[in-house]
């Protein structure tokens, strides 16, 4: 089979397409003929050795896929030919991939393979962050960093679906702001100077942060009393630190989100 591989840590342009043996599924895994794969910023970081998951070289990236079952364990409820979406974490950028049974889901005929490949990671993360870790309440306000990305647009839609009163998107450009508005955000602000704009509006109850880096402290400063900052990732490439007196002074929380 054909597979995309990271063989050196020289960035995305160094990716190679190679011939590899088909993967062999374990007892609790399915083998999937891949029809679509999600491409996310973690793959960019992996290609430079900057992501927290660092497999030995060479390896095939690709965390989220959709396609058709080739083989599945007996009694799993899945059969060859079934359309599925799955979270495989690695190996998805290939013609065939294995995925755990517990992160493989039947895909309705009304959802395309391309849509299916974008659902599991992004929307699972957004739901876990906002509903289970963030304890989102009806009417609360939510600020979404990186709002034009996969997790960002999913967070906008999940926040709205579960009762957020106002969703503010933070983006680096107006063009990305338009993407966030199309996803359902009430407004967008540019990353440069977002803190002053949001604080002037009274702050927010929850910040969804898949970016980290320099935005982290300003995100903390945007929180109302009893606010929650949800740490999802570090696409800025830098893992921030927090001075805990900031948490004490305003009774705010920094909450880790490790849905994976």
């Amino acid at each position: 089979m054909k597979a995309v591989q990271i063989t050196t840590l020289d960035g995305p342009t160094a990716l190679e397409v190679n011939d590899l043996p088909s993967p062999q599924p374990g007892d609790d895994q399915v083998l999937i003929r891949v029809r679509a794969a999600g491409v996310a910023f973690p793959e960019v970081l992996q290609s430079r050795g900057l992501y927290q998951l660092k497999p030995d070289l060479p390896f095939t990236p690709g965390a989220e896929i959709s396609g058709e079952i080739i083989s599945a364990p007996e009694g799993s409820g899945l059969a060859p030919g079934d359309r599925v979406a799955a979270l495989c974490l690695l190996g998805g950028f290939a013609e065939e991939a294995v995925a755990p049974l517990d992160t493989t889901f039947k895909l309705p005929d009304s959802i395309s393979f391309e849509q299916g490949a974008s659902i599991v990671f992004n929307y699972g993360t957004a739901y876990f962050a906002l509903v289970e870790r963030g304890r989102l309440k009806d009417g609360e306000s939510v600020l979404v960093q990186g709002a034009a990305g996969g997790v960002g647009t999913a967070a906008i839609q999940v926040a709205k679906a579960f009762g957020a009163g106002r969703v503010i998107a933070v983006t680096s450009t107006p063009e990305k702001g338009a993407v966030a508005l199309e996803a359902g955000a009430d407004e967008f602000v540019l990353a440069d100077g977002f803190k002053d704009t949001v604080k002037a509006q009274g702050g927010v109850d929850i910040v969804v942060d898949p970016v980290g880096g320099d935005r982290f402290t300003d995100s903390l400063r945007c929180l109302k009393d009893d606010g929650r900052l949800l740490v999802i990732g570090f696409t800025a490439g830098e893992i921030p630190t927090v001075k805990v007196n900031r948490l004490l002074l305003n009774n705010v929380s920094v909450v880790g989100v490790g849905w994976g």
Side-chain angles (χ1 to χ4, degrees), residues 32-187:
I32 298 171
R33 180 173 292 105
V34 178
R35 299 300 189 187
V39 181
F41 201 74
E43 277 89 41
V44 177
L45 295 177
Q46 283 177 344
S47 73
R48 298 186 174 117
L50 299 176
Y51 194 57
Q52 54 260 38
L53 182 64
K54 294 181 171 65
D56 293 334
L57 296 175
F59 68 94
T60 299
E64 49 189 339
I65 59 173
S66 65
E68 298 147 339
I69 293 290
I70 297 173
S71 66
E74 187 174 350
S76 66
L78 296 171
D82 284 349
R83 302 174 76 251
V84 294
L87 189 63
C88 57
L89 294 182
L90 286 173
F93 292 176
E95 291 181 309
E96 298 178 9
V98 294
L101 269 174
D102 60 0
T103 56
T104 300
F105 309 93
K106 285 189 176 180
L107 197 62
D109 290 339
S110 59
I111 297 178
S112 69
F113 286 125
E114 291 80 5
Q115 291 169 327
S118 74
I119 288 175
V120 181
F121 220 165
N122 294 319
Y123 288 85
T125 297
Y127 176 88
F128 181 68
L130 284 160
V131 177
E132 297 194 24
R133 298 292 289 151
R135 302 291 189 258
L136 174 66
K137 302 181 184 69
D138 283 349
E140 286 192 315
S141 51
V142 177
L143 181 74
V144 180
Q145 296 282 2
V151 170
T153 53
I156 291 168
Q157 294 174 343
V158 169
K160 281 294 190 179
F162 285 86
R166 182 168 60 107
V167 177
I168 303 171
V170 180
T171 62
S172 58
T173 66
E175 291 77 15
K176 291 181 179 180
V179 172
L181 292 178
E182 186 177 358
D186 295 292
E187 62 180 293

Side-chain angles (χ1 to χ4, degrees), residues 130 136 140-147 152 155-156 159 164 166-171 187-190 194-195 197-199 201 203-210 215-216 218-223 228-230 232:
L130 284 160
L136 174 66
E140 286 192 315
S141 51
V142 177
L143 181 74
V144 180
Q145 296 282 2
I156 291 168
R166 182 168 60 107
V167 177
I168 303 171
V170 180
T171 62
E187 62 180 293
F188 77 89
V189 294
L190 295 179
F194 76 90
K195 171 180 68 74
T197 302
V198 175
K199 289 188 70 175
Q201 297 177 0
V204 294
D205 297 294
I206 295 177
V207 174
V208 176
D209 185 12
R215 297 192 198 180
F216 181 83
D218 282 346
S219 291
L220 267 182
R221 290 171 173 157
C222 290
L223 289 174
R228 290 87 76 200
L229 193 160
L230 308 179
I232 293 179

Side-chain angles (χ1 to χ4, degrees), residues 220-253:
L220 267 182
R221 290 171 173 157
C222 290
L223 289 174
K224 299 177 181 178
D225 287 354
D226 300 315
R228 290 87 76 200
L229 193 160
L230 308 179
V231 178
I232 293 179
F234 315 104
T235 59
E238 178 186 344
I239 298 176
T241 57
V242 57
K243 293 183 177 180
V244 294
N245 65 307
R246 297 188 187 278
L247 312 183
L248 181 150
L249 291 173
N250 295 313
N251 289 312
V252 298
S253 304

